[in-house]
Amino acid sequence: MSSRGGGGSGRGYGIHHHHHHHSALCCLSAAPPMPGDATPTMPLTPDPAAAAAAASGAAVAVEGVLQKWTNYGRGWRERWFTLHDGVLSYSKIRDDAGAAAAVEDGEVRLIGSRIGGSRRREKPAGVVSLKVSAFRESKSDDRRFYIFSPTKTLHLKTDSKDDRVAWIEALILARSVYSLGSLSGRVTFVQCDVSISTARLRDRMHQEGLNENLIQDCEQIVLSEFSSYRKQLKRRYEDYLSLFGSCRHHFEEGKDGSITQGAWTRNEFSSSRHGNFSEYSTTESDEFEKQDGGELTCEEDSTFFDSVDYFIEPDNKSLTMLSGQEVVDNQTQDSSNNLPQIRRRTRLPEPTEKEKGISLWSIIKDSVGKDLTRVCLPVYFNEPLSSLQKCFEDLEYSYLLDQAYQYGKMGNSLMRILKVAAFAVSGYASSVARPCKPFNPLLGETYEADYPDRGVRFFAEKVSHHPMLIACHCEGKGWKFWGDSNLKSKFWGQSIQVEPVGILTVEFDDGEIFQWNKVTTTIHNLILGKLYCSHHGLMHIKGNRQYSCKLKFKEPSLLDRNPHLVQGFVEDNDGNKASFLIGKWDESMYYSNSDTFKVRSADQLKGASLLWEKNKPAPNPTRYNLSSFAITLNELTPGLQEKLPPTDSRLRPDQRHLENGEYEKANAEKLRLERRQRMSTKLQDNGWKPQWFEQDTKDGTYRYKGGYWETREKGRWDGCLDIFGEFNET
């Protein structure tokens, strides 16, 4: 990688120039549009050198012979590939190939030594638009690479290693034009035609009475200076792109250290941070080659997921599995009206400052090869919530547990586990399209949530700093929920894989208990492209009585017309399947008594009944894309502040400043608290113990030991550390 020269487009691959007319120097994809991609306003005939310079901003088409895998019968076949205007097309090689250019204007760059394209304007054998494709190099063979588009996967092989480097660079360059904004901050090349006019110069010289020849000479100087300036800009820009390419390799050289400090706590994380950049991904081992086209995890912000699922609302009366179903569903939703109502906000406060966009890359790039846990990210990448509050966000649909309790009480234990399963999936719903990470809580930080209208009281505490552990406990109508979560994360450069370790438990007042694990979450496109997260793996909900449930969160894949799919079944203790579930973690879950294994969505099932449906998005989701429920989590409702302990997340200063849009203050406070947090490792080593939870000696989980709400009644928080205040080492 290091031996190659600067980022010019030639670089010894043989350049063939073909200039026809450059009046239509439009914005073409291989090179970013430059200031001056327009004809000079004067009808001049510039000298050939200046013409060449002006035209270099036009299309650079890349062509060459590549071997394409056809099938096992015919193996690798040579095809002529042309990359032009963001589109890669290929055709069979013909014998009568001349050397005329395949592209009307601009230059053609040939990769490899052989010429042989079909030069007639006939329809190519195949076309792939880079805008919706991903590409990846093979690890085991340095001449092979793959291009994945929504409709097909191309397996390609070059003649030499250098040719592959050249093709990959050309692909990155061609795709980059779709997202010029994401390179350095937000502004790189603004796509617009900049014209240069020499009219004022002419007028001024005419006033001086200079002769026409001299005036034309001067114009010529101005125009050629301008076009060489444009060339330099273009070269700088291409260097930028190749810098991206080379930095990527640093990331891949074994940076799998687990990120905890900077890690994205819990499972929520997602999209929309920069423009769409190349989905240029490299996976660890070439499992792809082993299975010849297995599923690869790249998708581009739903570019190809156009199939909207329309669920037919089932007619509940005919479908009720056991009478009394609707009774429970309706009763638990409405019974909250006579409870005390706390008025909660529906939007975050208006920001006081205008924020400056930052690219994540500008921060990580200086940490290439360093331990990412030490990277202090500015608050721009945070949302104004802490991981403790995100824990409570998993309980947004707690009414499902209320319903589960009621069903069980009426003797319908099958509906009970179905509702518990729906609840376990519903916790993931808010993670779709959440671009920012929550604040990492400080050691001893707590969070309480008392929602009498929902009948729940929740409490969480950060109980350990290394490993990073959060424990929570919640009481509802007829049930208790608790768990602790520790995240093991692996950083793969372009993505982070988060493995949640820990068991979640729900115990009903009649003694029935269900326990389950969370599934793996991957956060994609950390460096380039639109951030999004996916959840995948198996969730096993074990019950202590007659039923348990298995759910599979489907791995995302490029060609996936149906992302976010969750399907599974409930079985009794003898392994007989009692019911089937299907749905999407960001939409809804259905159950049915016919097998969902072959089915792709609930509307294809006869007699599927709705278990849970995601709430409508917030009217003012802000740039953090928060749900209406999440908007209320950090609010200091009237009279609340006096009752909170000094450790509550709502009192954390950097988070509060961020919520108010005071970004300067937020960053300063975040730095101060992170310096302070480094002391907490010492605290823990010196025998610090969590205040409200203790570790179970048998299974190691943290259990709430009680006392928080009672202490709150008394209003005496003597034992609590002032964790957000100034730190003095005494």
Side-chain angles (χ1 to χ4, degrees), residues 116-133:
S118 74
R119 297 301 182 191
R120 301 205 185 126
R121 281 261 171 265
E122 52 194 43
K123 208 165 168 247
V127 176
V128 172
S129 166
L130 295 184
K131 196 170 180 177
V132 292
S133 306

Side-chain angles (χ1 to χ4, degrees), residues 482-719:
W482 69 88
D484 55 33
S485 75
N486 166 17
L487 298 172
K488 288 200 166 48
S489 54
K490 282 194 176 148
F491 180 55
W492 297 124
Q494 176 70 327
S495 64
I496 279 189
Q497 193 163 335
V498 183
E499 297 278 359
V501 183
I503 299 288
L504 303 178
T505 305
V506 110
E507 179 175 359
F508 292 101
D509 288 0
D510 52 26
E512 187 163 16
I513 297 175
F514 295 99
Q515 293 189 309
W516 66 93
N517 56 293
K518 297 204 86 148
V519 295
T520 304
T521 295
T522 305
I523 299 137
H524 307 263
N525 293 352
L526 288 183
I527 300 165
L528 309 174
K530 194 159 173 174
L531 253 188
Y532 68 93
C533 74
S534 59
H535 309 293
H536 43 94
L538 285 170
M539 181 185 274
H540 190 179
I541 305 173
K542 303 184 184 81
N544 65 344
R545 295 202 180 152
Q546 112 195 61
Y547 291 117
S548 63
C549 173
K550 288 183 179 149
L551 292 172
K552 182 176 190 332
F553 286 65
K554 191 160 152 259
E555 292 264 356
S557 71
L558 181 76
L559 309 178
D560 195 349
R561 293 249 161 219
N562 204 23
H564 307 168
L565 188 68
V566 180
Q567 48 196 154
F569 54 84
V570 172
E571 59 182 4
D572 62 21
N573 295 336
D574 305 326
N576 303 315
K577 294 184 177 156
S579 187
F580 299 91
L581 295 107
I582 187 163
K584 295 187 174 192
W585 51 259
D586 61 333
E587 282 179 15
S588 52
M589 289 298 293
Y590 288 78
Y591 71 93
S592 160
N593 37 23
S594 53
D595 196 339
T596 58
F597 177 66
K598 294 273 190 300
V599 180
R600 284 279 154 263
S601 66
D603 50 354
Q604 301 173 357
L605 271 186
K606 290 188 176 46
S609 315
L610 186 67
L611 280 168
W612 157 77
E613 191 168 29
K614 183 181 172 173
N615 292 334
K616 290 186 179 56
N620 314 297
T622 69
R623 79 172 177 89
Y624 309 110
N625 210 2
L626 300 177
S627 64
S628 298
F629 180 57
I631 285 173
T632 67
L633 300 182
N634 197 43
E635 181 182 10
L636 282 164
T637 47
L640 178 63
Q641 186 158 358
E642 299 71 67
K643 297 183 179 148
L644 292 175
T647 50
D648 194 279
S649 299
R650 293 178 185 86
L651 307 178
R652 179 171 172 161
D654 50 357
Q655 190 172 314
R656 183 60 58 193
H657 287 312
L658 175 64
E659 182 182 282
N660 295 334
E662 300 160 331
Y663 305 107
E664 300 288 319
K665 288 181 183 164
N667 269 317
E669 282 293 303
K670 184 163 192 239
L671 274 168
R672 178 181 72 81
L673 289 171
E674 294 203 351
R675 275 202 296 276
R676 192 178 160 159
Q677 176 77 329
R678 300 203 177 104
M679 317 283 186
S680 58
T681 329
K682 292 182 199 157
L683 257 177
Q684 205 173 331
D685 296 341
N686 296 339
W688 177 90
K689 285 272 177 290
Q691 182 117 11
W692 309 105
F693 287 84
E694 57 194 351
Q695 204 166 6
D696 190 311
T697 41
K698 289 199 295 293
D699 56 2
T701 57
Y702 281 85
R703 298 287 296 266
Y704 174 56
K705 56 186 184 192
Y708 176 84
W709 299 101
E710 294 74 10
T711 312
R712 185 179 186 273
E713 280 299 302
K714 298 195 194 91
R716 300 197 48 183
W717 299 111
D718 310 338

Side-chain angles (χ1 to χ4, degrees), residues 18-62:
H18 301 281
H19 295 300
H20 299 291
H21 42 84
H22 69 279
S23 57
L25 289 182
C26 43
C27 295
L28 286 158
S29 75
M34 288 297 143
D37 275 358
T39 356
T41 43
M42 302 296 306
L44 292 173
T45 16
D47 64 300
S56 67
V60 177
V62 180

Side-chain angles (χ1 to χ4, degrees), residues 68-88:
K68 174 178 170 293
W69 176 258
T70 51
N71 52 40
Y72 284 108
R74 305 178 60 232
W76 295 94
R77 291 292 164 115
E78 290 187 344
R79 295 285 180 266
W80 181 258
F81 278 78
T82 304
L83 172 57
H84 176 58
D85 221 358
V87 175
L88 181 72

Side-chain angles (χ1 to χ4, degrees), residues 329-383:
D329 283 14
N330 299 337
Q331 169 197 357
T332 45
Q333 301 257 268
D334 304 337
S335 60
S336 54
N337 296 343
N338 47 12
L339 284 157
Q341 290 286 338
I342 297 176
R343 291 215 41 192
R344 299 188 192 270
R345 64 185 180 188
T346 57
R347 57 190 312 158
L348 292 182
E350 287 299 313
T352 54
E353 301 164 23
K354 204 163 161 17
E355 69 178 349
K356 307 178 195 58
I358 317 168
S359 84
L360 179 57
W361 177 248
S362 61
I363 294 145
I364 317 189
K365 71 173 192 304
D366 304 323
S367 330
V368 168
K370 295 200 192 102
D371 177 4
L372 262 174
T373 57
R374 299 284 169 267
V375 181
C376 174
L377 291 177
V379 292
Y380 176 71
F381 298 107
N382 286 100
E383 56 183 16

